[in-house]
Amino acid sequence: MRLVLLGAPGAGKGTQAKKLVDKFGIPQISTGDILRKAVADGTPLGKEAKIIMDKGELVPDSVVIGLVKERLAQDDCKNGYILDGFPRNTAQAEELDKVLSEMNAPLDVALSVDVDKNDLMKRLTGRRTCRGCQQMYNIHFSPPQKEGVCDKCGGELYQRDDDKEETIKNRLDVYEKATAPLIDYYGKKGILKSVEGVGSIDDIFNRICTILGY
Ligand code: AMP
């Protein structure tokens, strides 16, 4: 299954992507995670990206498209993948279509995770991520058993720099302007499905499985 997850920052795409990985055994390709790793590794790309990410802006298309192309060519993507956070605008979506049509492997589904705007802010400010395994928590809705410590691997939980309040507003604006039009884009292609992203993580996941026909 070749799947794109759409949705505003904080809609829970990453959390659901990880559950889909476990169920279907296909990789999650998160451009945000790839960029954060480059930042943590201190590569030249990471240094350049951090400045943009901290402002809540989008990293240049040519950079992310290059990263995704490289990732899609890897062996573990042969049976499908979950794209999480890519594409982020129409130019990226068109380039992805071009690459996939050259590979003769078009997308199967674009799944939009829909969450009310007012809920997004609380979700984003409460979000904490594990430094070790990237597992996500929310101090309001799904806290870890021990504050600041990952239930899964014992790693340290941290708040992403771009989950601070000033940056979040900009990220939501960028989403509205650049990314939300993709709902129409995939709707016109006839591969759009939508899921209501409210309720418990498991409830949402069950809905997704039903929508995907599993
Ligand atoms: P995310 O974890 O998907 O919310 O991404 C965090 C940040 O990484 C975004 O706010 C952007 O600055 C950058 N980023 C991630 N994916 C993309 C993309 N497809 N295009 C441009 N910038 C991206």
Side-chain angles (χ1 to χ4, degrees):
M1 177 171 41
R2 293 180 290 272
L3 175 81
V4 163
L5 280 179
L6 294 173
K13 297 186 300 294
T15 304
Q16 295 300 330
K18 289 194 169 51
K19 291 185 76 74
L20 288 163
V21 167
D22 289 344
K23 184 166 170 101
F24 295 107
I26 52 176
Q28 169 195 15
I29 304 176
S30 157
T31 40
D33 283 351
I34 296 171
L35 290 166
R36 277 184 291 280
K37 179 159 190 318
V39 172
D41 291 347
T43 65
L45 163 66
K47 284 183 180 139
E48 200 185 311
K50 180 161 175 38
I51 300 166
I52 301 168
M53 292 166 80
D54 284 351
K55 286 193 277 195
E57 307 284 344
L58 294 183
V59 171
D61 291 343
S62 57
V63 172
V64 278
I65 287 165
L67 292 172
V68 169
K69 268 192 200 171
E70 218 173 85
R71 185 64 188 86
L72 288 176
Q74 287 174 20
D75 245 22
D76 63 338
C77 292
K78 282 215 171 78
N79 296 324
Y81 45 78
I82 301 146
L83 279 169
D84 163 16
F86 181 94
R88 243 358 194 255
N89 58 28
T90 308
Q92 292 181 12
E94 285 171 351
E95 188 60 27
L96 176 66
D97 281 345
K98 215 168 91 192
V99 171
L100 295 183
S101 98
E102 279 162 14
M103 293 166 83
N104 227 344
L107 289 174
D108 297 310
V109 186
L111 179 68
S112 169
V113 183
D114 299 337
V115 174
D116 188 85
K117 256 195 207 157
N118 295 326
D119 289 340
L120 292 171
M121 198 72 185
K122 200 164 178 196
R123 287 193 184 199
L124 287 164
T125 51
R127 182 153 76 175
R128 300 293 181 271
T129 310
C130 173
R131 279 198 201 282
C133 69
Q134 313 304 317
Q135 176 68 35
M136 281 187 280
Y137 297 86
N138 190 295
I139 55 170
H140 307 297
F141 307 117
S142 52
Q145 280 169 11
K146 190 171 168 213
E147 197 186 317
V149 180
C150 178
D151 293 346
K152 267 192 167 175
C153 77
E156 180 202 357
L157 304 186
Y158 76 106
Q159 183 177 37
R160 283 168 40 174
D161 283 342
D162 62 350
D163 277 345
K164 311 264 157 79
E165 210 152 328
E166 322 77 77
T167 311
I168 288 173
K169 202 188 155 303
N170 199 28
R171 290 170 65 206
L172 293 174
D173 283 350
V174 169
Y175 171 79
E176 279 302 324
K177 285 197 196 98
T179 314
L182 293 182
I183 295 186
D184 244 24
Y185 179 92
Y186 288 115
K188 286 192 182 121
K189 288 190 177 289
I191 59 165
L192 178 74
K193 293 185 192 282
S194 301
V195 64
E196 215 194 333
V198 287
S200 74
I201 291 170
D202 285 340
D203 283 348
I204 300 166
F205 186 64
N206 288 337
R207 260 177 251 147
I208 289 177
C209 290
T210 306
I211 287 167
L212 296 177
Y214 289 92

